[in-house]
Amino acid sequence: MNSTPVSRPTTGSDPLIVPRTEHGIQRRQVSTNALKVIERLQEAGFDAYLVGGCIRDLLLETRPKDFDVATNATPEEIRELFRNARLIGRRFRLAHVRFGREIIEVATFRGGGDGDGDDDDADRVVEDGGRVTRDNVFGTEAEDARRRDFTINALMYDPATETIRDHVDGYADVRQRRLRLIGEPVSRYREDPVRLLRAARFMVKLDLAMEPQTAGPIVSMAPLLEGIPPSRLFDEILKLFLSGHAWPTYQALVRLALWPELFPGLFPDPAQPPKLVENALKNTDQRIAEGLPVTPGFLFAAFLWQRVKARADELVAAGAAPVEALAEAGEEAIVAQARKVALHRRFSTIAKEIWCMQPRFEKRRGKRAVRLINERRFRAAYDFLLLRVDEEPELAELAQWWTDVQEVDHEERMKMIHSAPAGGGGKKRRRRPRKRKTPSAQ
Ligand code: ATP
Ligand code: MG
């Protein structure tokens, strides 16, 4: 930070203007398509700025995910200016301007607390439960800044003058790496309790200190998440756990009493989650760091495993076959969990496949093993088996065998499969109690 003066607002709605010499953002760091959109709007006489997370990210030297534009042009006026614009959104219409694979989101300034500041809820039906919300209304630039959640998310950038426009003292907060809600925290959380989760997420992901008034009410207000539709919570869960900081985010959610609102009653002591869960979260972060694909199905499989396994063991004790028992227990766990966080079917299917393949690893001999290796979800189920070893050390030898069998050539693999121990997977199925650990407390 240097000492170049910044101009102070003269009236209540004038922003603090931060010049380029101070903020250091270069135009070339900004998507050229976003620049084109802003230029065209400004040439047509409108105000238009980059807004939100992208400026924050540029200042924090992380790579913005997308570049959003805010303007005083109405959605119709935007559409008239851009042939490649499409209006979306039910409650609040905004324009998507498409350039090949990149979409620039252009939103008209809006005012008022709308209870859900998320702009991209095009096909989400938000039921507002008991929350008091006002209708979306167009607003001024200053109002648009103030209806946002955190000060660091409310900065605007004008490429024409290369200045940052700051209505909420967000610039100083970014520089001091401080997370602060705009306005009065208790009412801002009440207006939209998802902000509780967003606070935890930004704090961890951007390594920010939460300002005390922003942090203070979180624990006591956590129960307000009760009123949020499960589908919206699921969208939020994806951002919480699939952004490369899943494990520290989990810990923050526990500390802030938010975790039990999302996944009630899963672990006796959420501060000491099952090792498998910790490993799954860390594993997810590592895969993201390595650019490998991740699926929420795998994480949910880990979160719910203890519950699923305990219930499946009961069903097996009552005479059910292991795979069917897991299928039934899995379905029950997913249905129960969906009351809080709705896991999309394609992901719950993955979780169930992972669970149901676990007993099949015990049958290594012959065709069954070959069939298992060729299953679409083999790799995920095998990764899951590896995660189980920490808590079920008796699986170590089995897991090693499955590691080896994937590494050898075809001929060697056939040899291994034919000489493998029967492992309960011989020709005829014997129904005898399986040698399984009783579910431990964690
Ligand atoms: P990320 O990089 O994680 O996407 P982001 O800041 O872009 O972070 P989005 O969820 O994409 O977050 O939202 C875009 C902008 O919309 C935010 O920067 C913020 O200004 C505003 N916003 C989003 N959600 C809310 C909310 N619940 N309440 C108020 N404003 C919100
Ligand atoms: Mg975003």
Side-chain angles (χ1 to χ4, degrees), residues 51-54 56-57 64-68 105 118 120 198 201-202 205 239:
V51 70
C54 61
R56 171 201 73 205
D57 289 346
K65 276 207 305 252
D66 34 38
F67 291 89
D68 298 335
E105 196 171 283
D118 202 341
D120 53 28
R198 290 174 61 85
R201 177 160 74 87
F202 289 124
K205 172 177 136 182
K239 295 191 192 176

Side-chain angles (χ1 to χ4, degrees), residues 125-400:
V125 182
V126 179
E127 283 141 33
D128 287 318
R131 286 170 295 135
V132 183
T133 61
R134 267 175 279 160
D135 279 331
N136 280 297
V137 281
F138 293 141
T140 64
E141 173 192 331
E143 286 167 337
D144 187 72
R146 280 193 218 106
R147 60 100 186 165
R148 292 172 186 275
D149 48 4
F150 301 96
T151 61
I152 58 165
N153 286 348
L155 297 173
M156 305 197 184
Y157 174 81
D158 180 2
T161 57
E162 297 185 79
T163 54
I164 286 178
R165 305 169 66 81
D166 178 6
H167 293 267
V168 294
D169 288 334
Y171 183 75
D173 285 342
V174 178
R175 285 305 184 206
Q176 288 165 50
R177 302 194 82 96
R178 188 165 52 207
L179 188 65
R180 186 163 61 87
L181 266 178
I182 298 167
E184 208 284 297
V186 170
S187 48
R188 295 309 308 282
Y189 285 134
R190 187 165 300 131
E191 217 173 62
D192 180 11
V194 168
R195 291 173 187 148
L196 299 160
L197 296 173
R198 290 174 61 85
R201 177 160 74 87
F202 289 124
M203 174 183 76
V204 172
K205 172 177 136 182
L206 302 168
D207 189 21
L208 306 174
M210 238 194 261
E211 182 252 354
Q213 297 194 51
T214 295
I218 296 183
V219 169
S220 62
M221 296 189 81
L224 290 183
L225 285 171
E226 171 88 58
I228 304 298
S231 62
R232 186 161 178 230
L233 284 185
F234 177 69
D235 293 350
E236 216 41 54
I237 297 266
L238 295 188
K239 295 191 192 176
L240 285 164
F241 292 114
L242 300 182
S243 310
H245 308 273
W247 173 238
T249 299
Y250 172 84
Q251 292 173 302
L253 290 175
V254 171
R255 249 187 350 261
L256 295 168
L258 297 167
W259 169 262
E261 299 299 326
L262 303 173
F263 295 91
L266 271 194
F267 318 134
D269 175 10
Q272 306 280 319
K275 196 75 188 142
L276 175 128
V277 169
E278 178 180 339
N279 289 345
L281 291 164
K282 289 180 175 168
N283 198 39
T284 300
D285 292 342
Q286 179 149 6
R287 289 181 67 93
I288 289 172
E290 288 167 10
L292 296 169
V294 289
T295 164
F298 189 86
L299 267 184
F300 270 69
F303 289 160
L304 299 178
W305 173 240
Q306 212 170 55
R307 176 176 290 179
V308 169
K309 187 166 173 293
R311 176 75 182 125
D313 284 347
E314 272 174 31
L315 294 169
V316 168
V323 174
E324 284 76 59
L326 281 164
E328 191 178 327
E331 182 62 27
E332 277 175 23
I334 283 166
V335 169
Q337 177 54 39
R339 283 184 223 121
K340 283 284 175 190
V341 179
L343 181 61
H344 293 185
R345 182 158 289 282
R346 68 174 181 283
F347 300 129
S348 60
T349 304
I350 294 176
K352 276 191 251 172
E353 285 171 340
I354 290 172
W355 293 327
C356 290
M357 280 165 76
Q358 297 307 307
R360 294 173 59 191
F361 283 111
E362 287 163 34
K363 296 162 186 177
R364 323 180 216 181
R365 194 185 288 175
K367 279 204 242 38
R368 286 166 186 246
V370 178
R371 223 182 295 137
L372 190 55
I373 293 182
N374 291 325
E375 288 273 4
R376 186 170 49 128
R377 216 58 77 185
F378 171 78
R379 194 61 211 197
Y382 159 76
D383 286 342
F384 197 81
L385 175 69
L386 294 186
L387 290 188
R388 290 175 59 202
V389 172
D390 250 344
E391 278 168 5
E392 299 170 77
E394 68 275 17
L395 294 176
E397 188 269 330
L398 186 67
Q400 187 58 48

Side-chain angles (χ1 to χ4, degrees), residues 73-104:
T74 63
E76 281 69 28
E77 287 168 330
I78 298 165
R79 187 169 52 189
E80 275 165 33
L81 279 178
F82 300 95
R83 276 193 311 133
N84 45 342
R86 203 166 65 90
L87 299 192
I88 62 145
R90 292 186 195 181
R91 297 193 313 143
F92 191 85
R93 283 195 303 154
L94 51 114
H96 273 178
V97 185
R98 179 183 283 280
F99 300 85
R101 291 224 319 275
E102 190 180 16
I103 290 177
I104 305 295

